[in-house]
Amino acid sequence: MSTKIIIKTEQLRKVYDSVVAVDDVSFEVYEGEIFGMVGPNGAGKTTTIECIEGLRKPNQGEIRVLGFDPQKEGYGLRPRIGVQLQESSLQDRIKVWEALDLYTSFYPEAIDWNILLEQLGLTEHKDKSFVKLSGGQKQRLFIALALVHDPELIFLDELTTGLDPHARRVIWDLIRKVRDRGKTIFLTTHFMEEAERLCDRVAIMDNGRIVAIDSPENLIRDLGTENRIVFTVRDRLSTEEMENLETVTRIETIGERIVVHGCGDGFVADVVNYLTAKKIHFRDLRTEQPNLEDVFLTLTGHAIPN
């Protein structure tokens, strides 16, 4: 990863009346990475990204984006960034090609939007009115509008909210392809799986503050969160002896479903060998690795609301 700093914030603070939305936030984003800011709705992610984009004025702190102050030098910055807002819309009857043609006219230099249509799978929909597009097609159109002037840095705020799982994964593939073209991407999301799949580094945000920042892999490893083994049993299972296994930390029983938490290289083998030795009939056994949701729960003491 490049060490060139694309975004730098220092002690960023934003207050609405008596509500502190962003509190002493400092971080850096490097060239060519997908950087994610993750956390529940209301954590301060959108306020932070909008301050960086120059759409909101912070009460305190310093921001540099591509060397520019977004408040004082927005005219020079805007042609070099692409922005997809958390809530976006277009006129109902504007056609896909008309929207791209209109946005192209805003910039002295732009790429051929027909290429974007092909890359984003929108060519066959270019004559459709905006109102007739599906949710996934609308999101792809907004990505195209953010990319039409070939920006160096792209901001994506809660890009896949409201999309079904298939559409969400299509968008993920598109974002990876954009990064592979040498772009830097800053995204916000409350979907931890999205951040884990896409981001090179993430900043975990809660109540307006960054509580951790690193790669998803390092955050998961460094916190030492537990692995899980999940299986079902036909008969009631006494878990007292299994809890005495060295690698087992705790056991949950939910009806026929057993969730065994533990850690260590021999964790899975210990549990399976115990069940086999005791002739306990089990089925549907699977292992679950720790993820960013576990990290968030460990760091904040609460889960992200669905």
Side-chain angles (χ1 to χ4, degrees):
M1 184 173 65
S2 171
T3 57
K4 181 179 179 180
I5 297 174
I6 299 297
I7 299 171
K8 185 178 181 66
T9 73
E10 293 186 277
Q11 298 180 314
L12 184 64
R13 181 179 173 87
K14 179 64 180 176
V15 179
Y16 300 104
D17 296 325
S18 60
V19 177
V20 180
V22 178
D23 188 11
D24 193 28
V25 166
S26 301
F27 63 91
E28 297 172 348
V29 177
Y30 300 105
E31 183 180 45
E33 74 172 333
I34 300 178
F35 181 88
M37 182 164 279
V38 302
N41 293 328
K45 305 185 304 297
T46 292
T47 297
T48 299
I49 199 172
E50 289 182 349
C51 287
I52 294 170
E53 293 163 346
L55 299 177
R56 294 188 185 275
K57 185 176 181 179
N59 298 93
Q60 177 183 310
E62 295 184 11
I63 304 172
R64 305 297 291 184
V65 182
L66 295 168
F68 294 91
D69 180 327
Q71 288 296 320
K72 299 177 181 178
E73 301 172 292
Y75 185 79
L77 176 63
R78 280 190 286 274
R80 298 176 63 181
I81 65 173
V83 176
Q84 174 268 326
L85 300 172
Q86 183 175 9
E87 295 184 8
S88 302
S89 189
L90 294 170
Q91 297 91 337
D92 285 350
R93 298 177 67 178
I94 192 170
K95 292 184 171 71
V96 169
W97 76 265
E98 291 174 329
L100 285 161
D101 200 52
L102 175 64
Y103 273 60
T104 298
S105 71
F106 296 158
Y107 301 96
E109 296 183 10
I111 61 178
D112 183 352
W113 51 258
N114 286 291
I115 296 174
L116 286 175
L117 285 179
E118 183 176 351
Q119 291 175 337
L120 297 171
L122 289 172
T123 300
E124 63 185 68
H125 306 291
K126 72 175 186 177
D127 292 318
K128 276 188 180 180
S129 300
F130 177 77
V131 71
K132 294 183 178 179
L133 298 175
S134 68
Q137 291 163 355
K138 288 178 180 178
Q139 293 293 58
R140 280 181 274 166
L141 174 57
F142 288 128
I143 293 174
L145 295 176
L147 296 176
V148 74
H149 57 299
D150 199 25
E152 301 168 50
L153 170 63
I154 300 101
F155 294 96
L156 305 171
D157 190 8
E158 297 286 2
L159 179 65
T160 62
T161 296
L163 299 186
D164 62 67
H166 173 72
R168 184 172 295 137
R169 281 162 175 76
V170 170
I171 295 295
W172 292 352
D173 288 340
L174 295 174
I175 298 309
R176 292 188 189 99
K177 290 177 182 176
V178 171
R179 192 271 304 277
D180 291 344
R181 290 169 47 203
K183 308 301 181 182
T184 303
I185 298 171
F186 184 148
L187 64 84
T188 71
T189 181
H190 64 277
F191 295 117
M192 289 297 183
E193 181 188 6
E194 181 165 279
E196 195 170 335
R197 294 283 189 92
L198 279 180
C199 297
D200 299 297
R201 290 189 306 132
V202 296
I204 296 180
M205 198 167 191
D206 190 43
N207 293 322
R209 286 180 167 268
I210 291 178
V211 296
I213 183 168
D214 206 334
S215 69
E217 296 83 2
N218 287 344
L219 288 170
I220 292 169
R221 184 189 66 240
D222 292 348
L223 280 171
T225 45
E226 300 168 326
N227 293 308
R228 293 180 293 270
I229 299 173
V230 182
F231 57 91
T232 55
V233 292
R234 288 180 300 184
D235 304 314
R236 181 177 176 83
L237 172 65
S238 175
T239 61
E240 292 181 3
E241 287 188 21
M242 195 188 306
E243 287 176 338
N244 292 328
L245 294 174
E246 186 176 348
T247 54
V248 172
T249 55
R250 59 193 175 96
I251 300 174
E252 296 177 85
T253 302
I254 309 168
E256 293 184 343
R257 185 165 168 262
I258 308 297
V259 182
V260 184
H261 300 257
C263 54
D265 294 337
F267 170 54
V268 175
D270 286 350
V271 172
V272 172
N273 289 339
Y274 174 84
L275 295 173
T276 303
K278 295 294 183 180
K279 296 183 171 51
I280 296 169
H281 298 285
F282 61 89
R283 65 184 186 277
D284 303 328
L285 185 144
R286 68 180 186 276
T287 60
E288 295 180 351
Q289 302 298 317
N291 54 35
L292 276 182
E293 289 194 23
D294 297 307
V295 173
F296 184 86
L297 177 61
T298 301
L299 290 172
T300 67
H302 62 87
I304 292 183
N306 294 323

